[in-house]
Amino acid sequence: MSLGSTNAERHSRAALMDIYKAERSWDGWNSDGLAIANDLINLVLQAHNSQEPSVWHPSILPQFPDLADRYLEATLVEIKKKLEQLEHKISMMNRQIDRMETAGESLLRILPPMGSSAAKTFREPLATGSLEWYAQLISRVCRVYREAVEMRSGHIEDIRMSVTALESVGRLGRRLDSDEQMVRLSCWLHSPGLKNALLLDYKSSSLMLSDFDDLLKTELGIEEI
């Protein structure tokens, strides 16, 4: 597709704006997921604890011998709802990455065919880098976000395995460690290694995801307080 300079600028800025919005949407879905993951972990820990006789007052169990089982069954229903909600958040996070990938690919479609007359007169529409350079960066940005989602998906799978153990005969199996879960929830919150992930690493300089975010804001004229 060959576009005039005005259209090329408009389309390229629209693509960058879509990436900017997708990143912020990803952050929003991640925050939603963190809240659900926190509730989910508390429910699973409570479910495990409910199977310990010492949790219940000695006078209660003789009167209600199936209380622990009934509590577990009710809690498992809530746990499964939370798992479904969390999987939805992960799906929406992946959708934002798909959005970024589509926007990056659209930048390359703005470029005129190599060797064409339009290519000889084509002027790069962005002030901070070429369309091809941005497309390469965006591909690496998406890879970093995919890795962050994989970490969260792995956490969910560990929780699911613990829930499966709760449902098994005898309800034995791996229990969640509360301290470990606090650390993993902190990873949801702070996303270590995400914003400082290296996209480019040259001898003279490097570019991290946080730098890419600044580039987007500069190119789009966005000022954040």
Side-chain angles (χ1 to χ4, degrees):
M1 177 174 66
S2 179
L3 300 173
S5 58
T6 301
N7 281 337
E9 180 179 357
R10 179 166 56 85
H11 282 278
S12 58
R13 286 175 60 84
L16 294 190
M17 179 58 78
D18 206 27
I19 293 165
Y20 178 81
K21 290 179 179 179
E23 280 197 278
R24 271 126 204 90
S25 293
W26 192 96
D27 290 339
W29 289 113
N30 181 63
S31 295
D32 292 346
L34 169 63
I36 295 172
N38 184 61
D39 291 344
L40 174 61
I41 289 167
N42 285 332
L43 284 170
V44 175
L45 290 172
Q46 289 168 17
H48 273 297
N49 290 337
S50 72
Q51 300 309 293
E52 297 290 343
S54 60
V55 171
W56 304 97
H57 193 278
S59 64
I60 294 179
L61 290 182
Q63 299 179 57
F64 306 99
D66 62 342
L67 181 59
D69 288 340
R70 287 165 58 191
Y71 180 88
L72 179 60
E73 288 173 7
T75 306
L76 283 171
V77 171
E78 292 302 312
I79 286 172
K80 289 178 180 179
K81 289 180 182 177
K82 293 293 181 183
L83 278 169
E84 288 180 5
Q85 292 171 7
L86 197 50
E87 289 288 1
H88 173 68
K89 302 303 177 186
I90 291 292
S91 173
M92 295 307 296
M93 291 165 75
N94 276 322
R95 189 173 298 181
Q96 302 317 305
I97 303 172
D98 292 341
R99 238 175 109 187
M100 296 181 215
E101 287 181 338
T102 299
E105 291 166 359
S106 73
L107 290 178
L108 293 178
R109 290 197 295 271
I110 296 171
L111 292 169
M114 291 183 61
S116 66
S117 58
K120 296 176 182 178
T121 59
F122 181 77
R123 294 179 60 185
E124 290 287 348
L126 300 176
T128 54
S130 70
L131 295 177
E132 187 173 357
W133 182 75
Y134 260 104
Q136 291 174 352
L137 273 185
I138 293 162
S139 176
R140 294 171 187 177
V141 166
C142 292
R143 184 188 68 227
V144 169
Y145 276 106
R146 294 280 186 206
E147 290 171 355
V149 171
E150 286 175 8
M151 182 275 289
R152 288 153 176 78
S153 295
H155 188 193
I156 295 170
E157 184 57 31
D158 286 348
I159 296 172
R160 193 182 296 280
M161 289 173 63
S162 183
V163 173
T164 300
L166 275 170
E167 294 177 299
S168 65
V169 177
R171 292 174 179 135
L172 301 175
R174 181 181 181 275
R175 294 191 174 209
L176 297 183
D177 180 89
S178 57
D179 291 336
E180 178 190 347
Q181 294 306 311
M182 287 295 293
V183 172
R184 298 184 79 168
L185 284 174
S186 178
C187 290
W188 278 74
L189 176 63
H190 300 292
S191 296
L194 182 62
K195 291 301 180 181
N196 62 352
L198 278 176
L199 304 178
L200 296 174
D201 188 15
Y202 299 124
K203 291 182 179 179
S204 58
S205 63
S206 60
L207 190 141
M208 297 184 295
L209 181 58
S210 58
D211 300 319
F212 173 77
D213 294 341
D214 290 338
L215 274 177
L216 285 183
K217 286 183 282 189
T218 298
E219 190 68 58
L220 296 170
I222 295 173
E223 295 183 6
E224 293 186 346
I225 300 175

